[in-house]
């Protein structure tokens, strides 16, 4: 019975990485329940048997961190919230003014997201505590460590095999989003690297621990025989091979942060091992690391070097979007300095501060430290730092004091793995991955357990102090509450999703039959009951009720509920604004909804149309110009709007951004509408912009050339073609087109030169080959 909690906890360690990295609700819930069940079983058994628990380093800051998350969730009086977090209060103001007077509001700008993070971090914290309690003796510690390394080596081997045979699927059967790059069970190679880089120093530690003792007086032949015949030599070779495979897998994943972090972990291991003045095995350790890098050479360093070069432009400047993302994140920290915007709310808050022009949605800051500051403020950052430093300080102090070889090596391995994760956190968000986050806390617990276990004493008791028996009931209560609350809340979220999954299949419109709308409303009512903090359900309910009852006030009430649940969701605010009869407040919500939107494209059109309906043409033009600057592809949506409100050429010229692509697209659309004169004007303006563009594209030149050719202006067409060749002298297609022009004019020798030039640039260019044959040069081409 005493082994059951350890078995359940081990199952959680197995499940976490294999369940696609534990990023989906079903896998996160399963993992949380497994950890909660293991905790409830362990503390229940120890409470009944009146066993004492071990003291846990860093317990106070960890408890305070969880308490901070609870404080972020609890609604507060508006006056208190305004003092504690003025910007959080300001974020709620547009919708709170429409709700009941004096309605209490939380610090978190998305209670549900913060609750989910509370569950995840609580489970990780419990995993840390359980690791120390369950691995407090040599046998369970060694067995669990061996199994964790064995699992990681197996996953690394699977990942490399999967990359070679099926790089676009997980486990050879599960598809991933279009822009994803799966590696191993993870959809993101960065998170795979984060998991492996933590485990690899442990494999390195056991490789040195099982190193056979060979007499230096023996001959080389006798040493070689002894190496393979001594007891546990098989483990020595296995952990050596495993260490190489783990490092190799990180390099093959092409994760730059992972490659740097695993390299730093190896260096940290060597430095820390050297401080113990351990001469035995240092040469072997260096040789093993050399073998790992030789294994990478077998796969090829070219891809690794190319991946690092990808982060720099031709002038050697960093071109990674992370720098802009971090700068934007610092603005969030400035506005939410003390308590943050709520754990798990970065995705909702960031769009208000986003300066990147791409249409991507950023779920994380790609820097664990910055996101800790944005979500938890200075308080959360200091508490998390206090916890990690307390664990590392305790672990290193015990490593320096201990003489047991296993304890020392495992302590150094765990510290090196934690260090790798802390380094990787500078450029990625691995701590927010379910599996990686769990293993970080497990590694912290393993460090504390390993450096305190007595391996060579009969009693084999841990060196950690023991807590009074009266604490047993507290731990039983905490673990029981954790398991019960997670079970109830996460089951409710799952049931609500099941109800909503049927609703989302239906395209909502006023043409739906009344009984169908009633059915959808019933499903949404159940979803709102199961998951009352999810804003999507009342938002959809508002639309359903509007089509069903045509009651504007009823729909408005549901939209208000959605906006109160998720005040940073732009679509919720904008829809509510459209339904308000107060034009001033409605306009404020419509504008603010656009500013807070994840994807601003659709809401920009809505905002512009509303502004035009209020005859605010200049303000509407500013919104349109901003979006077209970022997304010229929106031209097809914007053009009908400009046509409907009779924008003249001068107004349009003032709206279109100084972007070649924007003017070309507008000219193309005018041409399709039969306005050749307008198309010529916009295409000509695009050509002027193209002459000043520092990064022209061949396609832009080709589109202008084709336009003038289609409308019989050969002179302009050839002029642009020569400009294109000057800008792109190595573009074979332009030379072919110029050759055709010379052929048409009867200047055969110049035509031949251009076709030959095209073939030099592109030997397989069949158009150039046929043209040369047509000119009488069949023997050569």
């Amino acid at each position: 019975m005493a082994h059951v909690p350890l078995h359940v906890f081990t199952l959680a360690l197995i499940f976490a990485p294999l369940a696609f990295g534990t990023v989906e609700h079903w896998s996160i819930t399963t993992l949380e329940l497994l950890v909660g069940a293991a905790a409830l079983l362990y503390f229940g058994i120890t409470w009944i048997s009146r066993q004492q628990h071990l003291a846990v380093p860093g317990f106070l800051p960890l408890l305070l961190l969880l308490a901070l998350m609870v404080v972020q969730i609890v609604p507060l009086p508006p006056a208190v919230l305004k003092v504690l977090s003025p910007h959080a209060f300001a974020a709620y103001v547009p919708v709170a003014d429409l709700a009941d007077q004096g309605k209490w509001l939380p610090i978190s700008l998305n209670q549900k997201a913060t609750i989910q993070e509370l569950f995840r971090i609580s489970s990780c914290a419990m995993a840390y505590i359980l690791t120390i309690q369950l691995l407090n003796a040599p046998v369970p510690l060694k067995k669990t460590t061996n199994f964790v390394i064995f699992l990681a080596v197996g996953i690394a081997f699977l990942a490399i095999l999967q990359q070679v045979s099926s790089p676009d699927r997980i486990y050879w059967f599960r598809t991933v989003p279009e822009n994803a790059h799966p590696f191993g069970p993870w959809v993101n190679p960065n998170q795979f690297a984060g998991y492996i880089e933590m485990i690899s120093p442990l494999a390195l530690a056991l490789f040195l621990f099982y190193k056979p003792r060979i007499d230096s007086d023996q001959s080389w032949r006798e040493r070689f025989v002894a190496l393979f015949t001594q007891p546990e030599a098989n483990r020595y070779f296995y952990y050596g091979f495993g260490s190489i495979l783990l490092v190799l897998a990180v390099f093959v994943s092409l994760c730059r942060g992972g490659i740097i972090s695993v390299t730093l972990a190896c260096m940290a291991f060597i430095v820390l091992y050297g401080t113990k003045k351990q001469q035995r095995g240092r040469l072997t350790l260096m040789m093993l690391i050399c073998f790992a890098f030789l294994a990478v050479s077998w796969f090829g360093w070219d891809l690794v070097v190319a991946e690092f070069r990808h982060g720099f432009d031709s002038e050697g400047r960093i071109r990674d979007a992370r720098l802009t993302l971090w700068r934007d994140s610092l603005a969030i920290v400035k506005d939410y300095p003390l308590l943050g915007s709520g754990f798990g709310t970065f995705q909702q808050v960031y769009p208000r501060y986003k300066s990147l022009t791409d249409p991507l949605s950023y779920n994380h800051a790609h820097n664990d430290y910055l996101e800790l500051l944005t979500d938890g403020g200075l308080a959360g950052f200091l508490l998390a730092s206090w916890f990690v430093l307390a664990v590392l300080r305790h672990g290193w102090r015990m490593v320096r004091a201990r003489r047991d070889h296993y304890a020392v090596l495992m302590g150094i391995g765990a510290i090196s793995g934690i260090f790798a994760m802390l380094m990787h956190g500078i450029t990625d968000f691995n701590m927010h991955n379910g599996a990686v986050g769990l293993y970080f806390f497990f590694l912290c617990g393993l460090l504390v357990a390993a450096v305190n276990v007595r391996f060579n004493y009969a009693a084999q008791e841990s060196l950690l102090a023991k807590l009074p028996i009266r604490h047993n009931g507290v731990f039983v209560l905490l673990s029981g509450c954790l398991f019960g609350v997670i079970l109830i809340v996460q089951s409710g979220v799952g049931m609500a999703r099941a109800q909503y999954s049927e609703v989302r299949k239906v395209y909502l419109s006023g043409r739906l039959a009344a009984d169908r709308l009633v059915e959808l409303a019933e499903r949404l009512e159940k979803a709102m009951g199961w998951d009352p903090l999810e804003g999507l359900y009342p938002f959809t309910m508002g639309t359903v009720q509007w089509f069903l009852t045509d009651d504007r006030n009823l729909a408005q009430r549901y939209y208000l509920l959605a906006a109160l649940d998720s005040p940073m969701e732009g679509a919720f605010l904008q829809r509510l604004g459209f339904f308000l009869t107060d034009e001033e407040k409605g306009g404020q919500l419509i504008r603010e909804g656009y500013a807070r939107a994840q994807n601003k494209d659709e809401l920009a059109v809505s905002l512009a149309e509303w502004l035009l309906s209020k005859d605010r043409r200049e303000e509407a033009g500013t919104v349109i110009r901003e979006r077209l600057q970022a997304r010229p592809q929106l031209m097809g949506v914007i053009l009908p709007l400009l046509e409907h409100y009779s924008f003249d050429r001068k107004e349009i010229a003032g709206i279109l951004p100084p972007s070649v692509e924007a003017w070309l697209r507008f000219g193309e659309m005018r041409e399709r509408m039969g306005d050749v004169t307008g198309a010529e004007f916009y295409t000509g303006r695009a050509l002027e912009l193209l002459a000043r563009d520092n990064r022209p594209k061949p396609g832009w030149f080709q589109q202008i050339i084709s336009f003038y050719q289609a409308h019989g202006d050969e002179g302009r067409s050839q002029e642009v073609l020569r400009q294109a060749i000057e800008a792109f002298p190595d573009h074979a297609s332009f030379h072919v087109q110029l050759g055709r022009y010379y052929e048409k004019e009867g200047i055969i020798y110049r035509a031949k030169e251009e076709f030959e030039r095209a073939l030099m640039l592109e030997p397989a260019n069949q158009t150039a080959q046929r043209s040369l044959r047509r000119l009488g040069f069949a023997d050569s081409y």
Side-chain angles (χ1 to χ4, degrees):
M1 187 68 178
H3 296 293
V4 174
L6 180 59
H7 294 331
V8 176
F9 184 61
T10 304
L11 181 60
L13 294 175
I14 298 170
F15 176 83
L18 294 180
F20 308 105
T22 311
V23 295
E24 297 162 303
H25 181 261
W26 69 269
S27 55
I28 293 172
T29 301
T30 303
L31 180 62
E32 291 170 349
L33 290 176
L34 283 172
V35 173
L40 187 58
L41 285 169
Y42 172 76
F43 290 117
I45 291 172
T46 54
W47 180 57
I48 294 172
S49 59
R50 298 183 62 78
Q51 296 178 24
Q52 288 181 285
H53 300 142
L54 300 176
V56 178
F59 179 76
L60 178 59
L62 198 56
L63 187 63
L64 291 175
L65 181 63
L66 297 175
L68 171 62
M69 299 174 76
V70 173
V71 169
Q72 289 182 333
I73 297 167
V74 176
L76 303 170
V80 175
L81 178 62
K82 190 174 183 179
V83 173
L84 292 178
S85 183
H87 277 82
F89 174 78
Y92 276 105
V93 163
V95 290
D97 288 345
L98 302 172
D100 297 334
Q101 190 172 8
K103 179 178 174 60
W104 287 21
L105 305 168
I107 293 173
S108 171
L109 297 181
N110 190 309
Q111 283 179 293
K112 179 182 177 181
T114 305
I115 289 172
Q116 291 296 321
E117 277 296 285
L118 174 61
F119 289 162
R120 188 178 70 87
I121 299 301
S122 297
S123 299
C124 289
M126 190 59 76
Y128 165 69
I129 296 170
L130 278 177
T131 302
I132 297 173
Q133 308 299 328
L134 294 171
L135 308 186
N136 64 349
V139 173
L141 175 65
K142 289 185 175 182
K143 283 186 175 181
T144 304
T145 305
N146 292 342
F147 187 81
V148 164
I149 297 171
F150 176 81
L151 177 65
V153 171
I155 289 175
F157 178 75
L158 177 143
I160 295 174
L161 187 62
Q162 179 180 291
Q163 180 67 13
V164 173
S165 59
S166 180
D168 58 342
R169 291 175 181 266
I170 299 178
Y171 297 143
W172 293 273
F173 72 87
R174 178 162 182 173
T175 57
V176 297
E178 184 177 351
N179 295 324
H181 303 284
F183 199 84
W186 278 266
V187 74
N188 189 334
N190 297 330
Q191 292 162 359
F192 167 84
Y195 164 70
I196 294 296
E197 70 199 19
M198 287 190 292
I199 307 300
S200 55
L202 299 181
L204 205 57
L206 290 186
F207 167 72
L208 291 177
F209 179 76
Y210 288 109
K211 183 179 183 297
R213 294 181 178 273
I214 299 176
D215 192 348
S216 58
D217 295 332
Q218 293 178 324
S219 66
W220 283 102
R221 180 178 178 277
E222 291 172 330
R223 292 182 189 180
F224 184 78
V225 172
L227 181 64
F228 287 91
T229 56
Q230 286 196 16
E232 296 187 330
N234 59 327
R235 296 194 177 195
Y236 174 69
F237 289 111
Y238 170 75
Y239 287 115
F241 170 77
S243 299
I244 294 173
L245 188 63
L246 291 172
V247 173
L248 174 63
V250 174
F251 275 82
V252 174
S253 74
L254 297 180
C255 170
R256 288 171 291 182
I259 292 170
I260 294 172
S261 299
V262 78
T263 303
L264 290 175
C266 292
M267 294 172 62
F269 190 99
I270 294 170
V271 171
L272 295 177
Y273 189 62
T275 60
K276 289 293 292 183
K277 296 182 173 55
Q278 299 276 1
Q279 299 297 325
R280 185 169 65 90
R282 293 181 67 181
L283 178 60
T284 305
L285 182 60
M286 296 300 297
M287 289 179 62
L288 183 71
I289 294 174
C290 289
F291 276 123
F293 283 92
L294 284 173
V296 177
S297 301
W298 185 77
F299 273 85
W301 284 96
D302 293 346
L303 291 174
V304 177
V305 173
E307 183 64 23
F308 276 89
R309 284 180 178 173
H310 181 69
F312 299 88
D313 60 20
S314 57
E315 298 177 1
R317 294 174 299 191
I318 298 176
R319 61 182 179 187
D320 200 312
R322 283 181 176 86
L323 296 180
T324 305
L325 179 61
W326 295 345
R327 184 170 60 247
D328 296 342
S329 300
L330 286 173
I332 303 176
V333 176
K334 183 180 178 181
D335 285 348
Y336 301 87
L338 182 60
L339 300 174
S341 61
F343 281 86
T345 63
F346 181 86
Q347 183 177 5
Q348 289 80 32
V349 176
Y350 177 68
R352 189 68 179 82
Y353 299 82
K354 182 179 177 182
S355 63
L356 289 163
T357 57
D358 59 53
L360 300 177
S361 174
Y362 290 87
N363 299 340
H364 299 284
H366 287 263
N367 182 306
D368 281 331
Y369 303 99
L370 267 179
E371 191 163 348
L372 185 57
L373 283 167
T374 62
D375 291 7
L378 187 61
F381 183 85
L382 291 177
L383 290 172
S385 302
W386 181 8
F387 165 71
V388 174
L389 290 175
V391 172
L392 289 175
R393 180 176 178 273
H394 175 85
W396 180 238
R397 180 170 58 83
M398 293 303 297
V399 166
R400 290 178 63 85
R402 295 297 300 273
R403 294 179 179 273
D404 185 273
H405 196 46
Y406 189 93
V408 168
L409 283 172
M410 289 307 301
I412 291 174
I415 291 174
S416 301
I418 294 171
F419 174 71
M421 188 62 179
L422 294 176
M423 291 298 100
H424 200 167
I426 297 174
T427 59
D428 280 307
F429 52 93
N430 285 325
M431 282 300 295
H432 293 83
N433 175 261
V436 179
L438 175 76
Y439 266 86
F440 178 80
F441 280 85
F442 166 75
L443 205 60
C444 290
L446 182 66
L447 169 61
V448 174
V451 297
N452 285 285
V453 168
R454 292 182 169 185
F455 293 92
N456 298 318
Y457 291 85
Q460 293 186 341
E461 291 185 351
S462 174
L463 295 172
L464 287 168
K466 292 187 176 182
L467 297 173
I469 293 179
R470 65 176 180 272
H471 288 81
N472 288 14
V474 176
F475 281 105
V476 171
L477 180 63
L478 288 175
S479 58
C481 288
L482 177 66
F483 181 82
V485 171
I486 289 176
L487 179 62
I488 294 170
V489 174
Q490 298 292 50
S491 296
V493 172
M495 294 291 289
R497 288 189 176 192
Q499 293 292 335
Y500 184 73
S501 65
E502 295 300 319
V503 178
R504 65 183 301 180
K505 297 176 183 177
V506 181
Y507 178 76
L508 298 178
S509 73
R511 297 181 179 180
L512 283 174
D515 57 345
R516 182 62 167 151
L517 288 170
V518 169
E519 179 192 344
L520 297 178
E522 290 175 352
R523 287 187 176 277
L524 288 168
E525 193 67 41
K526 292 178 181 178
M528 292 167 60
W530 284 111
D531 189 4
L533 295 179
E534 175 55 64
L536 181 61
Y537 305 145
F539 177 74
T540 311
M541 176 68 96
T543 304
V544 170
Q545 291 295 345
W546 170 245
F547 291 140
L548 181 62
T549 64
D550 201 27
D551 186 339
R552 192 181 189 90
N553 291 329
L554 179 60
Q556 179 185 316
R557 285 201 295 271
Y558 281 112
Y559 291 140
L560 178 58
L561 283 176
L564 286 169
D565 287 337
S566 305
M568 301 304 291
E569 181 57 58
F572 296 176
L573 296 186
Q574 198 172 86
R575 185 70 62 83
L576 177 60
F578 283 126
F579 272 74
L580 289 181
T581 54
D582 187 326
E583 184 176 320
E584 183 179 349
K585 287 186 178 180
Q588 179 189 1
L589 284 173
I590 292 169
R591 291 186 183 89
E592 192 61 29
Y594 168 68
R596 299 182 185 185
Q598 286 277 358
N599 187 342
K600 290 182 165 51
D601 294 348
E602 183 177 348
L603 299 194
V605 176
S606 302
L607 173 58
E609 189 169 6
W610 179 81
L611 290 169
L612 289 172
S613 70
K614 304 300 179 183
D615 201 28
R616 299 176 183 177
R617 297 171 74 88
E618 186 176 345
E619 191 176 348
T622 302
V623 173
I624 294 171
R625 180 184 176 88
E626 175 189 308
R627 290 318 303 155
L628 289 179
Q629 178 72 45
R631 296 271 290 158
Q633 298 87 341
L634 286 176
M635 194 67 69
V637 181
I638 296 296
L639 180 58
L641 193 62
L642 300 181
E643 286 289 321
H644 179 74
Y645 285 95
S646 305
F647 275 70
D648 58 32
R649 186 179 296 179
K650 184 178 179 180
E651 287 180 305
I652 292 173
I655 289 174
L656 291 180
S659 161
V660 177
E661 187 170 359
W663 284 80
L664 278 178
R665 283 181 176 271
F666 203 84
E668 182 182 8
M669 291 175 185
R670 298 303 308 183
E671 183 182 15
R672 289 177 183 172
M673 296 171 65
D675 182 9
V676 177
T677 304
E680 187 173 0
F681 169 78
Y682 295 113
T683 303
R685 176 59 178 159
L687 182 59
E688 293 175 13
L689 293 170
L690 183 55
R692 300 194 296 268
D693 198 294
N694 294 326
R695 294 183 179 179
K697 296 180 181 179
W700 295 345
F701 281 105
Q702 188 59 62
Q703 188 172 344
I704 298 173
I705 292 167
S706 300
F707 173 80
Y708 287 125
Q709 284 179 343
H711 295 284
D713 194 343
E714 285 292 335
R716 295 292 301 276
S717 174
Q718 294 309 314
E719 181 185 342
V720 177
L721 179 57
R722 294 181 190 279
Q723 292 177 19
I725 290 176
E726 185 178 349
F728 297 96
D730 296 334
H731 197 77
S733 175
F734 292 149
H735 290 282
V736 170
Q737 293 177 66
L738 186 57
R740 286 177 173 172
Y741 169 74
Y742 284 131
E743 181 184 1
K744 182 179 178 181
E745 295 295 318
I747 310 175
I748 303 303
Y749 78 97
R750 292 299 304 274
K752 178 175 180 293
E753 288 177 358
E754 294 300 329
F755 291 139
E756 286 177 338
R757 176 65 176 167
L759 280 177
M760 290 176 61
L761 296 170
E762 193 177 304
N765 192 307
Q766 295 183 6
T767 304
Q769 291 175 1
R770 287 194 298 268
S771 298
L772 285 166
R773 293 192 188 100
R774 187 172 60 251
L775 293 175
F777 301 100
D779 293 339
S780 301
Y781 304 96

